[in-house]
Amino acid sequence: MPSTPVLLCFEDEQENAARIAQAAGHQLVCIDRHRFPDGEIKLRLPPTLPDHAVILRTLNDPNEKLVELLLAAQTARDLGARHLTLVAPYLGYMRQDVAFQPGEAISQRIVGRFLAGLFDAMITVDPHLHRVAALQQAVPVANAVVLSAAPLLSDLIATQRPQALLLGPDEESAQWLALAASRHGFDHAVCRKVRLGDRAVEIALPDIPVSGRQVVLLDDVVSTGHTLAQATRQLLAAGAASVDVAVTHALFIDDAWSMILKAGAREVWSTDCVKHASNAVSMSAPIGEALTRIGAMTMTR
Ligand code: R5P
């Protein structure tokens, strides 16, 4: 009789972990983490693990978390896990996918290979894959599952702003716009964006009327908030009746959230891929279903 898979989590992600574990029917265990005065960390996992173990770590603020994953994954193998799945609802380091200047590290490739060396499968949500077609090219694990929050964000928008015009702030958001718009038949378009620096962007609005429309800006990630704040300001200046924001990953660095609200956005909705006060949609059900599928595949081997 195969034993129930275990979902291992860290203390700061316990709430989301409980939702995912319930959706997947996994046993939930929190990894004990001690931080020494010199900054090193020590982890303690359950002394024995079932064949299939899952580690949840969302990879915003990723640097220390990558070391945690190195320690946790290798310890899980030592403790009996033969199949290891990573659930990283937000997958950091995906945006540096080429060397823009000679000598630059291609972080996506390096971090992707690092994770693939630790795990057999991974699940993530709306990864920022711009110049690669599939997650497996960036993270070459045997089983790489990409989920999108666009359908659930679209459902929320349909209840809150049924006549919404969905806009993406840049061409890269077109994939999520298409998914969200087709689900409820929303009008949609994307802006063009030129990034001038970490905290400076120029946006050209699409060539469709926005005057009097209830616009919802939809994007994969808000980081410094400049993209969505700038788009909000321009849309209101162009006569939009209202602007709301829906994002998958709520990084909200520094004052990003208040900056977007000060720009005039009415509501900011995000998913629980990254814990934030703006969370309005949970991805636990689709993540739980994906885990159940992976569990079934491991049992047939
Ligand atoms: C970029 O292509 C992404 O989709 C986001 O638009 C971008 O990362 C947001 O960054 P920020 O919030 O710093 O403007």
Side-chain angles (χ1 to χ4, degrees):
M1 187 79 177
S3 50
T4 307
V6 68
L7 175 68
L8 299 163
C9 72
F10 289 80
E11 199 181 359
D12 57 312
E13 289 185 72
Q14 263 190 94
E15 290 166 30
N16 194 24
R19 290 190 289 269
I20 294 171
Q22 188 177 24
H26 286 14
Q27 185 196 345
L28 177 63
V29 177
C30 192
I31 294 172
D32 187 72
R33 180 188 187 276
H34 175 72
R35 191 185 169 89
F36 292 104
D38 59 9
E40 292 182 9
I41 52 174
K42 179 181 70 174
L43 304 181
R44 187 158 57 86
L45 280 67
T48 56
L49 288 173
D51 266 11
H52 186 199
V54 179
I55 300 179
L56 171 70
R57 206 63 180 130
T58 201
L59 290 172
N60 62 315
D61 216 354
N63 297 345
E64 189 161 308
K65 291 179 180 176
L66 290 173
V67 176
E68 290 171 352
L69 288 180
L70 174 68
L71 300 177
Q74 297 207 0
T75 306
R77 299 269 187 211
D78 292 342
L79 296 171
R82 289 195 304 131
H83 189 280
L84 259 187
T85 299
L86 170 65
V87 177
Y90 177 66
L91 180 56
Y93 277 119
M94 288 296 107
R95 281 176 285 182
Q96 179 78 21
D97 56 1
V98 291
F100 295 95
Q101 304 284 334
E104 281 181 357
I106 304 175
S107 315
Q108 182 191 77
R109 192 183 298 166
I110 296 164
V111 171
R113 285 179 189 157
F114 169 75
L115 294 175
L118 298 176
F119 294 93
D120 306 294
M122 85 161 292
I123 299 170
T124 190
V125 183
D126 293 335
H128 195 94
L129 302 177
H130 183 30
R131 278 161 281 255
V132 301
L135 176 63
Q136 225 166 12
Q137 285 170 256
V139 187
V141 279
N143 194 356
V145 179
V146 172
L147 304 172
S148 179
L152 293 182
L153 287 171
S154 178
D155 292 349
L156 175 77
I157 294 164
T159 64
Q160 302 293 316
R161 309 281 182 262
Q163 304 304 322
L165 165 64
L166 296 193
L167 287 188
D170 49 35
E171 285 98 335
E172 292 155 17
S173 60
Q175 53 185 305
W176 301 297
L177 260 286
L179 269 178
S182 65
R183 190 161 167 101
H184 291 285
F186 291 122
D187 296 339
H188 66 288
V190 293
C191 307
R192 274 177 291 116
K193 179 172 88 179
V194 179
R195 184 167 283 286
L196 307 172
D198 286 345
R199 292 167 195 275
V201 294
E202 268 178 10
I203 287 181
L205 296 182
D207 192 18
I208 57 164
V210 298
S211 183
R213 297 296 307 264
Q214 295 189 325
V215 178
V216 178
L217 284 163
L218 182 77
D219 206 2
D220 60 333
V221 55
V222 56
S223 179
T224 68
H226 283 273
T227 298
L228 291 170
Q230 180 64 21
T232 300
R233 278 190 289 268
Q234 287 182 226
L235 285 162
L236 291 172
S242 64
V243 178
D244 301 284
V245 164
V247 291
T248 305
H249 302 297
L251 303 189
F252 289 112
I253 307 306
D254 301 331
D255 62 346
W257 194 20
S258 62
M259 186 174 60
I260 291 169
L261 294 174
K262 272 190 203 144
R266 194 157 49 155
E267 301 277 357
V268 178
W269 301 300
S270 65
T271 77
D272 59 0
C273 289
V274 176
K275 188 176 174 183
H276 187 263
S278 62
N279 290 171
V281 164
S282 177
M283 286 301 292
S284 53
I287 291 173
E289 284 162 22
L291 280 173
T292 304
R293 286 195 297 276
I294 289 173
M297 284 165 67
T298 62
M299 269 189 257
T300 56
R301 283 190 191 141

